[in-house]
Amino acid sequence: NAGVTQTPKFQVLKTGQSMTLQCAQDMNHNSMYWYRQDPGMGLRLIYYSASEGTTDKGEVPNGYNVSRLNKREFSLRLESAAPSQTSVYFCASRGTGMNTEAFFGQGTRLTVV
Amino acid sequence: DAKTTQPPSMDCAEGRAANLPCNHSTISGNEYVYWYRQIHSQGPQYIIHGLKNNETNEMASLIITEDRKSSTLILPHATLRDTAVYYCIVRPPHLQGAQKLVFGQGTRLTINP
């Protein structure tokens, strides 16, 4: 059982480049989330998805787009990367059963130069 | 979701009990209290949750005050591996659908040898 898998683990981009961060979960969870974490800071919610086909903005959505491709996958896209988007990105998923704790991936460390 | 307030940092001696407080004075009657922790730069990990009764599992105990406006996470015999950032979150039950799962700054707990 892999849980939540994020790819890539590390990425360096030049300012203005675009890329997509991938996230997949194998726990049949309805809800999925994307967070960013800057050095020494807490987690900030970028976007979340209650179910396949739905997405909603979080605390810091500007500069990002998301796609809930199917129940398993939730991708985060940076259309034109900026140095301010240098951060560690975490994906999470959560079910709707009795135990509704969130499970997190190991993160994608993104540097924009 | 109700906001939470936690001390930014705490220290505890190895082998002693670590007591981490959280204030959630605006909590609603159906909102649960959840605790997560983040070790180094890994993805956050669920610890425990509760509604109004005290809860205990293999990792920790959760004490919620009778008025539910505050809670304390207790690590009974702290080890060096418990050094982490601990997040307290309150949110409605899963039946209300996917909620913004918002993390605050958390408490950076350092266990000293």
Side-chain angles (χ1 to χ4, degrees):
Chain A
N1 187 347
V4 179
T5 303
Q6 293 183 233
T7 55
K9 289 185 170 53
F10 301 93
Q11 183 70 50
V12 178
L13 289 179
K14 294 182 179 179
T15 299
Q17 285 186 318
S18 62
M19 80 159 295
T20 300
L21 280 63
Q22 306 287 351
C23 176
Q25 52 92 8
D26 60 3
M27 295 171 282
N28 201 36
H29 286 168
N30 285 322
S31 305
M32 296 187 74
Y33 306 81
W34 274 106
Y35 296 87
R36 62 176 289 174
Q37 185 172 36
D38 299 333
M41 304 293 287
L43 295 155
R44 291 186 292 170
L45 181 64
I46 305 172
Y47 271 94
Y48 67 105
S49 168
S51 61
E52 181 181 351
T54 69
T55 60
D56 286 286
K57 294 179 180 179
E59 303 170 281
V60 288
N62 292 344
Y64 304 95
N65 287 304
V66 290
S67 295
R68 185 71 183 271
L69 306 169
N70 47 56
K71 195 170 186 179
R72 289 187 65 246
E73 298 172 292
F74 188 37
S75 62
L76 179 72
R77 182 162 179 83
L78 287 72
E79 291 292 350
S80 179
S84 61
Q85 293 178 304
T86 294
S87 190
V88 180
Y89 291 83
F90 289 101
C91 177
S93 71
R94 186 171 66 86
T96 54
M98 288 296 292
N99 294 317
T100 59
E101 68 266 29
F103 293 83
F104 284 79
Q106 287 304 299
T108 295
R109 284 150 182 79
L110 175 67
T111 302
V112 183
V113 297
Chain B
D1 297 352
K3 290 191 66 173
T4 62
T5 304
Q6 299 176 253
S9 64
M10 293 182 63
D11 286 89
C12 180
E14 187 177 18
R16 304 294 295 270
N19 298 289
L20 291 90
C22 179
N23 286 321
H24 31 79
S25 58
T26 61
I27 192 169
S28 300
N30 64 347
E31 287 186 316
Y32 285 74
V33 179
Y34 275 73
W35 283 84
Y36 290 81
R37 74 180 181 183
Q38 186 176 25
I39 295 174
H40 194 45
S41 297
Q42 299 176 18
Q45 173 193 27
Y46 164 81
I47 302 173
I48 198 167
H49 74 281
L51 184 61
K52 48 185 158 183
N53 297 323
N54 298 337
E55 302 288 343
T56 296
N57 63 20
E58 65 278 5
M59 292 180 68
S61 294
L62 174 61
I63 308 298
I64 303 174
T65 58
E66 193 167 342
D67 63 7
R68 302 203 334 113
K69 293 186 177 182
S70 66
S71 60
T72 300
L73 179 75
I74 301 172
L75 308 177
H77 303 287
T79 70
L80 298 178
R81 289 180 296 178
D82 292 322
T83 292
V85 178
Y86 288 78
Y87 297 97
C88 169
I89 301 164
V90 293
R91 63 174 177 81
H94 66 280
L95 292 176
Q96 297 192 12
Q99 307 89 30
K100 288 183 180 182
L101 193 56
V102 176
F103 288 72
Q105 294 298 308
T107 296
R108 183 172 298 278
L109 175 67
T110 302
I111 306 301
N112 300 307

